[in-house]
Amino acid sequence: MSRNLFNYQRRHSQVVRIGGLLLGGDNPVRIQSMANTDTNDTEGSVAQALRIIDAGGELVRFTAQGVREAENLRHIHAGVEAALAAQGRPMVPLVADIHFQPVAADTAARYVEKVRINPGNYVDKARKFEQLDYTDEQYAAELQRIRDRFVPFLDICRKHGTAIRIGVNHGSLSDRIMSRYGDTPRGMVESCMEFLRICVEEHFADVVISIKASNTAIMVQTVRLLADTMEQEGMAFPLHLGVTEAGDGEDGRIKSAVGIGALLADGIGDTIRVSLSEAPEAEIPVARQLADYYRLRENHEPINGVVFDKALAPEFCRDTVQVGLVGGTRVPAVFGRRSAYGKLAPDIYLSENGWETADNTPLPVIELLCSELDEKRIAVLPQQAVLLLESRHANPVGDFRAAIHRLMAAGCRLPVVAKVRPTDTLAETMQLKTAADMGVLFLDGLINGLYIDSAVLPPAVCVETAFSIMQAARKRMSKTEYISCPSCGRTLFDLQATVARVKAATAHLSGLKIGVMGCIVNGPGEMADADYGYVGAGRGRVSLYKNRICVEKNIPEEEAVDKLVGLIKANGDWQPADWQE
């Protein structure tokens, strides 16, 4: 799509009806979550749906592993509808989440307002991570097999007024797609487009799309590519945004804000699900804050700018000179005030003498507003200095982009560090807003560092937030990253308690990615992006992975964390905690 880099403008999407809810078009960005109850537990599922709705959820999703669970959605739907009616409230649409069982999708479509299917396992066989060789004729035959199964499902949805979501996950691409397109954004987009083209040919329009990954860089690049591809083929289906396996707590929120915020900044996104390894209702306020934050940008004062075309390339990184510890090939730098810090301390400090390194080496820094960086100012910049830029515009992302694109057009290679001065008194609110604005600048390869200067929050919180944003954008690893799924009805253990145990044993490690996955839907696939994986294999049983390779199966849950630690040690990635040294 033709993104407006400097001025906020929502992408045009068609309107999809989901029960009584309209999604897309000029409608607000809708907020949703997913239940983690057993879908056969009607009472518990109804109660949790109501908690999500009371928190502000506008759609509630349930997993349906098979026909039995899909059939029980009828009773859950009736229970939710009756409870809301008793309060004089309208029905909130329910969504069925289907993997591996197309017949369950057929069943669920009769009872709920929307059904999500996963192209990676709707018709294709379960992944074995095998390389498959297809002739063009054989590949065409596979596409016909998809059509033969998918069209009857669309007919059921049409009859019952049921919308669908085509939901592609990076962790569950089929061997067929992987073999032809690789583990790439193009492969993820094509996995989606195969199904979308059938929807268009069948004149089925009530379709929402999602393409998710736990890697924010891949997620953002892929959704942008999908939006471009749809536009080229005359499609305008609404988009559901989310970062899969974002984790919990502060890190899960920052990671979600980086990925979702980058797309909202481009005007992309019609509904949001923030995937946290917490109670589902805890996801709603986070998604709401993000949606409301971007809604404030509508009709802002225009920003003038000229696009530097080379910066639009995927995985672009601005070429800069190195000035001290900033720019060049160095990882992004964290700036902060002189203060007491823990394990994560700034690279560059502000003292009475100005900006300097920990050993008091001065750093030449020029502080400017983005709006002050015009052609005349750029022309007189020195050869060696760090530009510390600040925006006071209602659309800071567009303001920073315009200034940095002017630098690139003028051939200026001075490194840029973004300065933000949040006024929020709550750390979580500051973190969400800052991650949403600054994460996209890191993902787009435009800035070389970050300085969060809060007058009300402790400097340590600001510095730790800066490190977390860089890690979420995959620009600088400073601590262990946990790729943990939000629990759902498929989860085979207490996810929140398990994540806590894994963190307690491994949080002191630096630079590792550890996946904690409740089941096999995305587990093995996401292990490709994790160094180690802890995946539910059955009730009370866990399998351990090194990358995508399963190294130990069906371990009793009570032994699994110790076994994980042993696996990390055996591969030479263990570091003793400070108290062990």
Side-chain angles (χ1 to χ4, degrees):
M1 61 174 283
S2 51
R3 289 188 286 144
N4 191 325
L5 293 182
F6 312 131
N7 295 286
Y8 177 78
Q9 179 181 337
R10 279 190 69 184
R11 164 186 173 264
H12 167 71
S13 63
Q14 66 194 48
V15 176
V16 168
R17 179 176 291 279
I18 307 169
L21 183 77
L22 297 180
L23 188 150
D26 295 328
N27 292 290
V29 173
R30 303 300 188 181
I31 307 304
Q32 59 179 284
S33 185
M34 184 173 183
N36 60 13
T37 52
D38 181 344
T39 313
N40 291 310
D41 175 6
T42 304
E43 184 177 342
S45 296
V46 170
Q48 189 174 76
L50 293 173
R51 290 196 296 274
I52 293 170
I53 293 166
D54 288 342
E58 296 172 280
L59 296 102
V60 181
R61 182 159 43 118
F62 290 91
T63 190
Q65 300 97 312
V67 173
R68 182 184 174 203
E69 289 81 5
E71 285 283 0
N72 201 53
L73 288 170
R74 174 185 358 191
H75 304 297
I76 294 171
H77 192 285
V80 172
E81 189 170 28
L84 292 175
Q87 301 172 21
R89 300 163 70 184
M91 179 61 186
V92 170
L94 302 188
V95 184
D97 192 74
I98 309 295
H99 298 274
F100 304 113
Q101 296 285 340
V103 68
D106 297 344
T107 303
R110 295 173 167 87
Y111 306 129
V112 295
E113 286 80 6
K114 186 169 75 166
V115 176
R116 178 270 175 108
I117 62 165
N118 184 341
N121 54 41
Y122 181 72
V123 171
D124 285 294
K125 296 177 181 178
R127 293 155 303 154
K128 296 182 179 178
F129 302 105
E130 295 178 341
Q131 180 65 38
L132 305 174
D133 295 318
Y134 292 97
T135 64
D136 288 344
E137 292 77 12
Q138 289 171 328
Y139 202 88
E142 290 296 303
L143 295 182
Q144 184 60 47
R145 195 163 65 88
I146 291 173
R147 166 179 276 281
D148 292 344
R149 185 63 190 83
F150 188 48
V151 169
F153 168 65
L154 293 182
D155 290 339
I156 294 171
C157 291
R158 198 190 319 270
K159 178 180 178 181
H160 292 271
T162 307
I164 69 170
R165 171 156 70 97
I166 297 173
V168 177
N169 278 2
H170 188 211
S172 56
L173 292 177
S174 68
D175 287 346
R176 177 178 59 81
I177 285 289
M178 296 270 284
S179 296
R180 175 153 287 206
Y181 297 98
D183 188 8
T184 63
R186 172 54 66 187
M188 295 172 70
V189 168
E190 190 58 29
S191 179
C192 179
M193 293 302 296
E194 289 176 353
F195 283 73
L196 278 185
R197 291 178 188 123
I198 296 172
C199 291
V200 171
E201 291 164 4
E202 293 296 313
H203 305 289
F204 188 94
D206 282 332
V207 182
V208 183
I209 312 159
S210 67
I211 289 195
K212 299 186 181 183
S214 62
N215 181 320
T216 56
I218 290 175
M219 174 251 191
V220 170
Q221 183 182 342
T222 305
V223 174
R224 286 173 175 170
L225 179 60
L226 173 64
D228 289 340
T229 303
M230 282 200 293
E231 185 174 284
Q232 292 163 12
E233 298 194 23
M235 302 178 189
F237 294 106
L239 285 160
H240 166 129
L241 303 183
V243 178
T244 60
E245 293 87 39
D248 65 350
E250 176 183 304
D251 289 338
R253 285 159 173 76
I254 290 175
K255 188 174 182 180
S256 294
V258 167
I260 294 171
L263 294 165
L264 290 176
D266 289 343
I268 296 173
D270 302 282
T271 180
I272 298 173
R273 191 265 171 115
V274 173
S275 300
L276 300 176
S277 301
E278 301 178 20
E281 56 267 30
E283 299 176 348
I284 300 299
V286 183
R288 174 54 63 198
Q289 284 190 66
L290 288 172
D292 289 348
Y293 184 49
Y294 278 92
R295 185 161 33 180
L296 296 174
R297 303 192 182 186
E298 294 176 354
N299 304 313
H300 64 67
E301 181 181 348
I303 299 170
N304 295 320
V306 177
V307 175
F308 185 71
D309 288 339
K310 291 182 180 178
L312 299 180
E315 301 178 7
F316 172 82
C317 185
R318 179 171 170 256
D319 178 36
T320 65
V321 297
Q322 182 173 327
V323 180
L325 301 178
V326 187
T329 59
R330 295 189 63 88
V331 295
V334 174
F335 282 44
R337 294 181 177 276
R338 286 286 184 186
S339 181
Y341 296 99
K343 182 178 180 181
L344 297 176
D347 305 292
I348 308 296
Y349 295 85
L350 179 61
S351 68
E352 294 178 354
N353 301 318
W355 291 103
E356 58 190 21
T357 60
D359 63 0
N360 302 319
T361 302
L363 182 75
V365 174
I366 299 173
E367 295 197 40
L368 292 168
L369 295 178
C370 291
S371 56
E372 295 174 331
L373 198 63
D374 56 18
E375 292 181 1
K376 290 182 180 180
R377 190 70 182 83
I378 294 172
V380 297
L381 290 173
Q383 296 296 309
Q384 281 282 309
V386 174
L387 297 178
L388 187 61
L389 297 186
E390 180 184 353
S391 172
R392 294 178 185 170
H393 196 278
N395 180 12
V397 173
D399 202 21
F400 273 107
R401 280 174 167 170
I404 297 168
H405 278 245
R406 286 194 292 272
L407 286 173
M408 292 187 289
C412 177
R413 298 176 60 231
L414 294 183
V416 171
V417 173
K419 176 182 178 180
V420 293
R421 293 200 286 182
T423 58
D424 306 286
T425 57
L426 294 178
E428 179 178 324
T429 304
M430 179 276 287
Q431 290 165 342
L432 286 176
K433 292 179 179 179
T434 306
D437 286 334
M438 296 296 105
V440 64
L441 301 179
F442 282 116
L443 288 171
D444 288 350
L446 297 180
I447 58 175
N448 305 92
L450 178 58
Y451 174 38
I452 303 174
D453 182 23
S454 171
V456 293
L457 294 173
V461 171
C462 297
V463 165
E464 289 168 9
T465 298
F467 276 107
S468 294
I469 291 170
M470 292 175 187
Q471 178 147 324
R474 297 302 176 98
K475 295 298 181 181
R476 180 174 181 175
M477 297 289 289
S478 56
K479 53 188 175 181
T480 306
E481 178 175 347
Y482 296 93
I483 303 172
S484 62
C485 63
S487 58
C488 70
R490 294 177 182 272
T491 304
L492 299 171
F493 47 74
D494 183 333
L495 192 68
Q496 293 180 54
T498 300
V499 170
R501 288 199 301 273
V502 172
K503 281 188 171 184
T506 62
H508 66 283
L509 302 175
S510 297
L512 285 184
K513 296 190 288 292
I514 299 176
V516 183
M517 311 297 292
C519 73
I520 63 169
V521 171
N522 291 324
E526 291 297 348
M527 293 309 100
D529 197 44
D531 300 295
Y532 297 92
Y534 180 115
V535 181
R539 292 294 173 191
R541 296 284 167 172
V542 172
S543 293
L544 298 181
Y545 286 72
K546 178 72 175 77
N547 303 118
R548 229 181 222 154
I549 300 172
C550 183
V551 295
E552 198 162 357
K553 296 182 178 179
N554 298 316
I555 303 166
E557 185 180 348
E558 58 271 17
E559 302 175 12
V561 173
D562 288 341
K563 293 275 190 178
L564 174 64
V565 169
L567 178 62
I568 296 171
K569 289 180 177 179
N571 282 273
D573 289 327
W574 186 258
Q575 306 154 15
D578 293 340
W579 59 269
Q580 291 175 311
E581 292 178 345

